[in-house]
Amino acid sequence: MQFEQETKVDIHEQSPLSLAFVGDGVLELLVRRKLVEYTRLVPSKLHSTCVKYVSAKGQSRALEILEPLLTEQEQAVLRRGRNASKATVAKHATPQEYRASTGFEALLGWLLLTGQDERIQQLFDAMWEGFDPTL
């Protein structure tokens, strides 16, 4: 997944919201790829199923599955993302779900930008395994 390139900014100096910006794209791509590879859904159904995973509510539920698996360093990144202040909150999520989803996205962004593609895949596989999109 990683596109090799030299970074100009120290990743540890990036704001959690910048990491979440990247992490949002990471999760969206992983979910879309999995759905296309393993289902025969039509595009409108692909989209509605994808939203169940990548919405703030879905990411918050996924994080409940993943939190026990996180290292101390990953938990620290997650906390930074959760504590980042945002001016808006998703209209279909509670503030707690929105903060959790921002933390989860920040974690995925940090993992990508630090070259930990294998760890992203491990966490995504665990999420996919334990996540029921019908709930």
Side-chain angles (χ1 to χ4, degrees):
M1 174 177 303
Q2 176 91 358
F3 296 100
E4 296 297 323
Q5 65 181 3
E6 191 91 15
T7 60
K8 297 196 183 338
V9 177
D10 182 356
I11 191 64
H12 300 97
E13 295 175 6
Q14 285 291 352
S15 80
L17 297 180
S18 294
L19 298 176
F21 173 75
V22 173
D24 180 55
V26 170
L27 183 62
E28 180 96 20
L29 181 59
L30 288 169
V31 169
R32 286 177 179 226
R33 180 178 177 177
K34 188 72 124 175
L35 289 174
V36 168
E37 288 177 343
Y38 292 96
T39 70
R40 293 185 181 272
L41 299 173
V42 296
S44 62
K45 198 71 169 143
L46 282 169
H47 176 74
S48 62
T49 303
C50 184
V51 166
K52 292 177 182 178
Y53 290 91
V54 301
S55 67
K57 190 176 292 281
Q59 289 178 25
S60 178
R61 285 190 10 237
L63 190 54
E64 291 172 11
I65 296 164
L66 297 178
E67 244 179 311
L69 307 175
L70 299 180
T71 67
E72 285 184 34
Q73 191 174 24
E74 291 166 346
Q75 289 172 5
V77 173
L78 174 66
R79 270 191 305 279
R80 279 186 63 215
R82 272 189 176 147
N83 294 333
S85 62
K86 286 179 117 174
T88 61
V89 175
K91 61 182 172 183
H92 298 295
T94 66
Q96 293 83 4
E97 289 169 332
Y98 198 61
R99 284 194 301 273
S101 70
T102 302
F104 182 43
E105 290 171 346
L107 173 61
L108 291 176
W110 176 78
L111 288 170
L112 179 77
L113 294 171
T114 56
Q116 298 183 62
D117 296 354
E118 191 173 308
R119 183 62 173 154
I120 292 170
Q121 194 61 55
Q122 289 172 347
L123 292 174
F124 179 75
D125 290 344
M127 180 203 90
W128 194 265
E129 196 75 20
F131 191 97
D132 182 356
T134 61
L135 295 178

